[in-house]
Amino acid sequence: MHPIIKRTIAIVAVVAVVAVVAVVAVVAVVAVVAVVAVVAVVAVVAVVAVVAVVAVVIGGIIYGVNKSEQKENSIIISGEDYTEQEILCHMISDLIEDRTNINVD
């Protein structure tokens, strides 16, 4: 075999090995980035879940405090922030207070 052909085959073999190593390195980097992305998403979901649980607990505490402050034999009437609903809430509150012994807040 001619020396130039041998040298060409050797160069091609080295280039092939370098290409394979480069591909393996790229795949490894992509895998690491994917794992980091998954960990980041899981961390964000965990933080959102913790915030949601804290919000529910605080809401329950506030509701419990407000409920315990509420007088016996009283109710709360509420509605939307529109004129008609506010008027209707006041009308119903007045009717309930006039015709029963229930206090309306």
PDB file of all heavy atoms in Angstrom, residues 69-84:
ATOM      1  N   GLU A  69     -65.139  36.032  65.160  1.00  0.00           N
ATOM      2  CA  GLU A  69     -65.518  37.378  65.573  1.00  0.00           C
ATOM      3  C   GLU A  69     -66.983  37.672  65.256  1.00  0.00           C
ATOM      4  O   GLU A  69     -67.559  38.604  65.785  1.00  0.00           O
ATOM      5  CB  GLU A  69     -64.633  38.413  64.875  1.00  0.00           C
ATOM      6  CG  GLU A  69     -63.202  38.407  65.344  1.00  0.00           C
ATOM      7  CD  GLU A  69     -62.333  39.360  64.548  1.00  0.00           C
ATOM      8  OE1 GLU A  69     -62.837  39.990  63.602  1.00  0.00           O
ATOM      9  OE2 GLU A  69     -61.149  39.478  64.875  1.00  0.00           O
ATOM     10  N   GLN A  70     -67.552  36.879  64.369  1.00  0.00           N
ATOM     11  CA  GLN A  70     -68.926  37.105  63.958  1.00  0.00           C
ATOM     12  C   GLN A  70     -69.869  36.818  65.131  1.00  0.00           C
ATOM     13  O   GLN A  70     -69.724  35.826  65.835  1.00  0.00           O
ATOM     14  CB  GLN A  70     -69.254  36.202  62.770  1.00  0.00           C
ATOM     15  CG  GLN A  70     -70.563  36.503  62.125  1.00  0.00           C
ATOM     16  CD  GLN A  70     -70.789  35.599  60.936  1.00  0.00           C
ATOM     17  OE1 GLN A  70     -70.053  34.654  60.734  1.00  0.00           O
ATOM     18  NE2 GLN A  70     -71.810  35.885  60.171  1.00  0.00           N
ATOM     19  N   LYS A  71     -70.820  37.698  65.339  1.00  0.00           N
ATOM     20  CA  LYS A  71     -71.758  37.527  66.440  1.00  0.00           C
ATOM     21  C   LYS A  71     -72.704  36.378  66.149  1.00  0.00           C
ATOM     22  O   LYS A  71     -72.963  36.035  65.006  1.00  0.00           O
ATOM     23  CB  LYS A  71     -72.557  38.810  66.628  1.00  0.00           C
ATOM     24  CG  LYS A  71     -71.729  40.005  67.016  1.00  0.00           C
ATOM     25  CD  LYS A  71     -72.610  41.220  67.126  1.00  0.00           C
ATOM     26  CE  LYS A  71     -72.286  42.109  65.945  1.00  0.00           C
ATOM     27  NZ  LYS A  71     -73.141  43.220  65.797  1.00  0.00           N
ATOM     28  N   GLU A  72     -73.227  35.811  67.239  1.00  0.00           N
ATOM     29  CA  GLU A  72     -74.235  34.782  67.068  1.00  0.00           C
ATOM     30  C   GLU A  72     -75.460  35.417  66.451  1.00  0.00           C
ATOM     31  O   GLU A  72     -75.765  36.572  66.675  1.00  0.00           O
ATOM     32  CB  GLU A  72     -74.597  34.172  68.425  1.00  0.00           C
ATOM     33  CG  GLU A  72     -73.783  32.970  68.762  1.00  0.00           C
ATOM     34  CD  GLU A  72     -74.344  32.258  69.980  1.00  0.00           C
ATOM     35  OE1 GLU A  72     -75.565  32.064  70.063  1.00  0.00           O
ATOM     36  OE2 GLU A  72     -73.530  31.915  70.824  1.00  0.00           O
ATOM     37  N   ASN A  73     -76.167  34.638  65.691  1.00  0.00           N
ATOM     38  CA  ASN A  73     -77.418  35.074  65.091  1.00  0.00           C
ATOM     39  C   ASN A  73     -77.208  36.233  64.121  1.00  0.00           C
ATOM     40  O   ASN A  73     -77.983  37.174  64.080  1.00  0.00           O
ATOM     41  CB  ASN A  73     -78.422  35.456  66.181  1.00  0.00           C
ATOM     42  CG  ASN A  73     -79.829  35.085  65.789  1.00  0.00           C
ATOM     43  OD1 ASN A  73     -80.024  34.290  64.885  1.00  0.00           O
ATOM     44  ND2 ASN A  73     -80.797  35.660  66.477  1.00  0.00           N
ATOM     45  N   SER A  74     -76.106  36.187  63.377  1.00  0.00           N
ATOM     46  CA  SER A  74     -75.859  37.220  62.380  1.00  0.00           C
ATOM     47  C   SER A  74     -75.376  36.565  61.089  1.00  0.00           C
ATOM     48  O   SER A  74     -74.843  35.463  61.092  1.00  0.00           O
ATOM     49  CB  SER A  74     -74.824  38.227  62.878  1.00  0.00           C
ATOM     50  OG  SER A  74     -73.572  37.616  62.995  1.00  0.00           O
ATOM     51  N   ILE A  75     -75.600  37.254  59.986  1.00  0.00           N
ATOM     52  CA  ILE A  75     -75.160  36.764  58.678  1.00  0.00           C
ATOM     53  C   ILE A  75     -74.495  37.905  57.919  1.00  0.00           C
ATOM     54  O   ILE A  75     -74.614  39.075  58.299  1.00  0.00           O
ATOM     55  CB  ILE A  75     -76.347  36.196  57.854  1.00  0.00           C
ATOM     56  CG1 ILE A  75     -77.403  37.274  57.602  1.00  0.00           C
ATOM     57  CG2 ILE A  75     -76.938  34.975  58.520  1.00  0.00           C
ATOM     58  CD1 ILE A  75     -78.485  36.846  56.649  1.00  0.00           C
ATOM     59  N   ILE A  76     -73.833  37.540  56.850  1.00  0.00           N
ATOM     60  CA  ILE A  76     -73.201  38.525  55.980  1.00  0.00           C
ATOM     61  C   ILE A  76     -73.826  38.404  54.604  1.00  0.00           C
ATOM     62  O   ILE A  76     -73.917  37.308  54.047  1.00  0.00           O
ATOM     63  CB  ILE A  76     -71.679  38.289  55.879  1.00  0.00           C
ATOM     64  CG1 ILE A  76     -71.036  38.461  57.252  1.00  0.00           C
ATOM     65  CG2 ILE A  76     -71.055  39.231  54.861  1.00  0.00           C
ATOM     66  CD1 ILE A  76     -69.565  38.090  57.280  1.00  0.00           C
ATOM     67  N   ILE A  77     -74.275  39.501  54.075  1.00  0.00           N
ATOM     68  CA  ILE A  77     -74.830  39.550  52.726  1.00  0.00           C
ATOM     69  C   ILE A  77     -73.798  40.242  51.844  1.00  0.00           C
ATOM     70  O   ILE A  77     -73.278  41.298  52.196  1.00  0.00           O
ATOM     71  CB  ILE A  77     -76.148  40.346  52.671  1.00  0.00           C
ATOM     72  CG1 ILE A  77     -77.178  39.818  53.646  1.00  0.00           C
ATOM     73  CG2 ILE A  77     -76.693  40.393  51.255  1.00  0.00           C
ATOM     74  CD1 ILE A  77     -77.834  38.545  53.214  1.00  0.00           C
ATOM     75  N   SER A  78     -73.486  39.644  50.699  1.00  0.00           N
ATOM     76  CA  SER A  78     -72.517  40.275  49.803  1.00  0.00           C
ATOM     77  C   SER A  78     -72.958  40.086  48.363  1.00  0.00           C
ATOM     78  O   SER A  78     -73.811  39.263  48.059  1.00  0.00           O
ATOM     79  CB  SER A  78     -71.124  39.685  50.000  1.00  0.00           C
ATOM     80  OG  SER A  78     -71.119  38.339  49.606  1.00  0.00           O
ATOM     81  N   GLY A  79     -72.372  40.887  47.498  1.00  0.00           N
ATOM     82  CA  GLY A  79     -72.685  40.808  46.077  1.00  0.00           C
ATOM     83  C   GLY A  79     -71.566  41.419  45.262  1.00  0.00           C
ATOM     84  O   GLY A  79     -70.518  41.798  45.796  1.00  0.00           O
ATOM     85  N   GLU A  80     -71.792  41.515  43.965  1.00  0.00           N
ATOM     86  CA  GLU A  80     -70.809  42.089  43.056  1.00  0.00           C
ATOM     87  C   GLU A  80     -70.688  43.602  43.302  1.00  0.00           C
ATOM     88  O   GLU A  80     -71.531  44.210  43.956  1.00  0.00           O
ATOM     89  CB  GLU A  80     -71.221  41.836  41.607  1.00  0.00           C
ATOM     90  CG  GLU A  80     -71.216  40.379  41.205  1.00  0.00           C
ATOM     91  CD  GLU A  80     -69.825  39.844  40.984  1.00  0.00           C
ATOM     92  OE1 GLU A  80     -68.946  40.607  40.545  1.00  0.00           O
ATOM     93  OE2 GLU A  80     -69.630  38.656  41.242  1.00  0.00           O
ATOM     94  N   ASP A  81     -69.653  44.197  42.756  1.00  0.00           N
ATOM     95  CA  ASP A  81     -69.423  45.632  42.908  1.00  0.00           C
ATOM     96  C   ASP A  81     -70.115  46.436  41.810  1.00  0.00           C
ATOM     97  O   ASP A  81     -69.501  47.303  41.180  1.00  0.00           O
ATOM     98  CB  ASP A  81     -67.912  45.919  42.883  1.00  0.00           C
ATOM     99  CG  ASP A  81     -67.402  46.371  44.225  1.00  0.00           C
ATOM    100  OD1 ASP A  81     -68.223  46.581  45.118  1.00  0.00           O
ATOM    101  OD2 ASP A  81     -66.181  46.523  44.359  1.00  0.00           O
ATOM    102  N   TYR A  82     -71.369  46.136  41.575  1.00  0.00           N
ATOM    103  CA  TYR A  82     -72.149  46.882  40.587  1.00  0.00           C
ATOM    104  C   TYR A  82     -73.335  47.508  41.308  1.00  0.00           C
ATOM    105  O   TYR A  82     -73.805  47.004  42.330  1.00  0.00           O
ATOM    106  CB  TYR A  82     -72.640  45.958  39.465  1.00  0.00           C
ATOM    107  CG  TYR A  82     -71.510  45.282  38.727  1.00  0.00           C
ATOM    108  CD1 TYR A  82     -71.308  43.912  38.851  1.00  0.00           C
ATOM    109  CD2 TYR A  82     -70.638  46.014  37.924  1.00  0.00           C
ATOM    110  CE1 TYR A  82     -70.269  43.287  38.180  1.00  0.00           C
ATOM    111  CE2 TYR A  82     -69.594  45.395  37.259  1.00  0.00           C
ATOM    112  CZ  TYR A  82     -69.421  44.035  37.386  1.00  0.00           C
ATOM    113  OH  TYR A  82     -68.394  43.422  36.733  1.00  0.00           O
ATOM    114  N   THR A  83     -73.836  48.578  40.786  1.00  0.00           N
ATOM    115  CA  THR A  83     -74.887  49.339  41.453  1.00  0.00           C
ATOM    116  C   THR A  83     -76.100  48.488  41.783  1.00  0.00           C
ATOM    117  O   THR A  83     -76.595  48.497  42.915  1.00  0.00           O
ATOM    118  CB  THR A  83     -75.305  50.526  40.561  1.00  0.00           C
ATOM    119  OG1 THR A  83     -74.144  51.284  40.231  1.00  0.00           O
ATOM    120  CG2 THR A  83     -76.313  51.409  41.273  1.00  0.00           C
ATOM    121  N   GLU A  84     -76.586  47.732  40.804  1.00  0.00           N
ATOM    122  CA  GLU A  84     -77.789  46.931  41.025  1.00  0.00           C
ATOM    123  C   GLU A  84     -77.582  45.905  42.135  1.00  0.00           C
ATOM    124  O   GLU A  84     -78.454  45.709  42.986  1.00  0.00           O
ATOM    125  CB  GLU A  84     -78.207  46.208  39.733  1.00  0.00           C
ATOM    126  CG  GLU A  84     -78.625  47.131  38.611  1.00  0.00           C
ATOM    127  CD  GLU A  84     -77.451  47.617  37.772  1.00  0.00           C
ATOM    128  OE1 GLU A  84     -76.296  47.268  38.075  1.00  0.00           O
ATOM    129  OE2 GLU A  84     -77.699  48.370  36.820  1.00  0.00           O
TER     130      GLU A  84
END
